[in-house]
Amino acid sequence: MSIIEIIVLALIQGLTEFLPISSSAHLILPSQILGWQDQGLAFDVAVHVGSLAAVLIYFRKEVADILGAWFKSFGKQGVTEDSRLGWWIIVATIPGLVIGFLAKDLVEDFARSAWVIAATTIIFGLLLWYADATAKQTKTIYQLNWRSALIIGFAQVVAALLPGTSRSGITMTAGMMLGLNKQSAARFSFLMSIPIIAAAGGYYTLKLATGDEVIDWGAIVTGTILSFISAYACIHFFLKVIERMGMLPFVIYRLLLGLFLVVFLMV
């Protein structure tokens, strides 16, 4: 890859991984419009590692509190709000790990269609708007229960099966529909992304280690750093934007992007 391709693709991954606008919809644009070739498995792993590092560092206090409380809950301390939240993250992660792994070939063979991505970008953008405009949004992240966590987990499965849905977008939509306020829906979405990204990164790292792909270490290092920086900034500013403006800016963006893809594919 050229340095321009490395920079653009790493920034796209970092900026869109946690925004409710679909990273897959954006990652097809360079190949469809500019004719760029696939960036390869090693680069995919690198930019996901950068995104994972960003969310871990940004939520380092919450992650430390949840992990500490979760382990202590097996002892004398018992169950606390943080340990219970740790269990809900596990519950929400299981459907995505199981179904996502079993259906990965279906996704790779069928659902990477640009038409599928255009349609899901629009449809799930409208669902995000509906949740933002109509849901009660009165609960905090600590008012989740196992049923709500499981529903959000199955919503994450939809994103795994249908590129263009946006993992963060549909989990935030589900969270708000279940009564979570915007900040809590976003934070739970970010926290539950940690085990999913880690699992996906581990799987593809193993696949890379057992394959014969030639690794461009310059591209790997550059992609990881740029993905980390852009993802960290994205999380920070996203939480501020939804507090002031809600999800509407991202809904409008999704609709415009989806329409652009439809027009581009029809021309």
Side-chain angles (χ1 to χ4, degrees):
M1 293 188 294
S2 69
I3 188 63
I4 297 298
E5 290 176 81
I6 293 169
I7 293 172
V8 170
L9 292 173
L11 290 178
I12 287 175
Q13 170 62 34
L15 290 172
T16 60
E17 178 68 34
F18 300 112
L19 291 180
I21 58 176
S22 174
S23 59
S24 57
H26 288 78
L27 288 171
I28 71 162
L29 293 177
S31 62
Q32 292 287 331
I33 297 175
L34 302 175
W36 290 358
Q37 295 182 346
D38 184 85
Q39 60 265 35
L41 182 57
F43 190 79
D44 277 342
V45 171
V47 293
H48 278 84
V49 167
S51 298
L52 177 61
V55 71
L56 278 171
I57 293 175
Y58 191 89
F59 291 104
R60 58 192 179 278
K61 183 180 185 306
E62 288 93 331
V63 171
D65 289 344
I66 291 168
L67 280 176
W70 187 81
F71 282 111
K72 289 178 182 178
S73 68
F74 294 98
K76 294 182 180 180
Q77 176 177 298
V79 177
T80 65
E81 285 187 333
D82 282 322
S83 68
R84 190 178 293 111
L85 181 56
W87 280 112
W88 301 161
I89 292 171
I90 293 172
V91 168
T93 301
I94 292 173
L97 288 179
V98 175
I99 300 175
F101 177 78
L102 293 175
K104 67 182 187 307
D105 292 333
L106 173 66
V107 174
E108 291 173 359
D109 294 340
F110 165 71
R112 293 295 176 186
S113 161
W115 279 108
V116 171
I117 292 175
T120 52
T121 298
I122 294 172
I123 292 169
F124 289 98
L126 291 173
L127 283 176
L128 178 64
W129 165 79
Y130 181 79
D132 188 32
T134 64
K136 291 183 179 179
Q137 301 181 33
T138 57
K139 297 179 182 178
T140 70
I141 196 171
Y142 291 110
Q143 291 176 287
L144 276 172
N145 54 43
W146 72 268
R147 293 183 184 85
S148 297
L150 192 61
I151 291 171
I152 297 173
F154 276 105
Q156 184 167 243
V157 171
V158 176
L161 297 178
L162 292 176
T165 301
S166 171
R167 189 210 63 82
S168 57
I170 196 169
T171 52
M172 291 179 201
T173 298
M176 289 188 292
M177 291 299 293
L178 291 165
L180 288 177
N181 61 52
K182 294 179 182 67
Q183 287 284 332
S184 293
R187 286 179 177 274
F188 190 70
S189 174
F190 292 147
L191 290 171
M192 66 186 284
S193 75
I194 294 172
I196 285 290
I197 297 176
Y203 170 76
Y204 286 114
T205 298
L206 179 62
K207 190 174 179 180
L208 181 65
T210 55
D212 55 1
E213 180 176 338
V214 177
I215 299 177
D216 180 350
W217 288 107
I220 296 301
V221 173
T222 304
T224 302
I225 293 172
L226 289 176
S227 176
F228 166 77
I229 294 171
S230 55
Y232 190 95
C234 168
I235 295 170
H236 178 73
F237 288 108
F238 174 73
L239 291 173
K240 292 184 178 296
V241 168
I242 61 171
E243 186 68 31
R244 298 177 181 177
M245 304 175 65
M247 299 290 183
L248 186 59
F250 305 100
V251 171
I252 294 172
Y253 181 82
R254 284 187 70 121
L255 296 180
L256 292 175
L257 176 62
L259 290 173
F260 170 79
L261 288 173
V262 169
V263 171
F264 177 79
L265 291 169
M266 291 179 66
V267 173

